[in-house]
Amino acid sequence: SGCRTAAVRAGEGSLSDDVDRLQAVRDALGSSGAIRIDANGAWDVETAASAVPVLDRAAGGLEFVEQPCAAVEDVAVLRRRVNVPVAVDQSIRDSSDPLGLALTEAADIAVLTVGALGGVRRALRIADSVGLPFVAAAAAFVVDIVVCVAVSLVTTPKPVKELAGFVYSETPVQIFADP
């Protein structure tokens, strides 16, 4: 299919549902595909610390877990307790001063939603200021996807994954396709 990466929502239902979903995605992607989960801040530290290893095993390895806890301080605590890279998204978008965030101790990866951050120039400034490798993300609009690709291509260092776009659906899985 050409698909090599899937982002899967987690934490909205039962852990068992998340496990089943991740196993189905792994079966669809095969062993070489990358799977990341996004909990959208649904978990407290204890819930995340117990869920992430289970979901990592179910996925046959997670690329990263995005925004497992709502508060960046909780994400930092969780990061020290799990063996899966941790990413922040809402912690950046919802900050009153995303350019002033010090995230190198709190997370391994920044997810930068270009449109929500105010466009390409601002996203590039934030990418420089947060001090983390990043994934440029976009909403499901063609213009946003093109902007996302532009941010991925002009940044140094290169983002974790150069994102060419994704197929969006109302299901809890986003499929990322290569160019």
Side-chain angles (χ1 to χ4, degrees):
S1 75
C3 176
R4 296 191 328 188
T5 303
V8 181
R9 289 187 204 145
E12 294 179 339
S14 72
L15 183 60
S16 176
D17 288 344
D18 289 342
V19 165
D20 291 345
R21 187 178 308 111
L22 286 169
Q23 289 172 338
V25 170
R26 173 56 65 210
D27 288 345
L29 284 179
S31 61
S32 64
I35 300 174
R36 50 183 82 151
I37 60 173
D38 185 354
N40 287 315
W43 296 320
D44 59 42
V45 173
E46 293 307 315
T47 302
S50 62
V52 169
V54 171
L55 298 175
D56 185 43
R57 283 190 302 277
L62 290 170
E63 182 180 30
F64 61 81
V65 56
E66 180 179 336
Q67 202 67 51
C69 308
V72 72
E73 298 81 12
D74 290 344
V75 172
V77 170
L78 176 69
R79 180 178 178 241
R80 292 186 290 277
R81 293 183 56 186
V82 297
N83 291 321
V84 174
V86 176
V88 289
D89 176 12
Q90 288 90 341
S91 294
I92 297 169
R93 277 190 318 200
D94 297 343
S95 172
S96 60
D97 182 19
L99 291 165
L101 288 174
L103 296 175
T104 56
E105 297 299 318
D108 301 292
I109 301 162
V111 176
L112 302 178
T113 307
V114 176
L117 292 173
V120 173
R121 289 177 200 231
R122 189 155 189 260
L124 289 172
R125 285 195 305 272
I126 293 168
D128 285 340
S129 72
V130 296
L132 297 173
F134 72 94
V135 175
F141 302 105
V142 173
V143 171
D144 284 344
I145 292 170
V146 169
V147 166
C148 180
V149 172
V151 169
S152 293
L153 295 176
V154 301
T155 55
T156 303
K158 287 290 186 192
V160 174
K161 289 278 185 185
E162 290 185 3
L163 173 62
F166 63 88
V167 177
Y168 177 80
S169 70
E170 291 301 316
T171 64
V173 179
Q174 295 173 343
I175 303 300
F176 294 79
D178 292 321

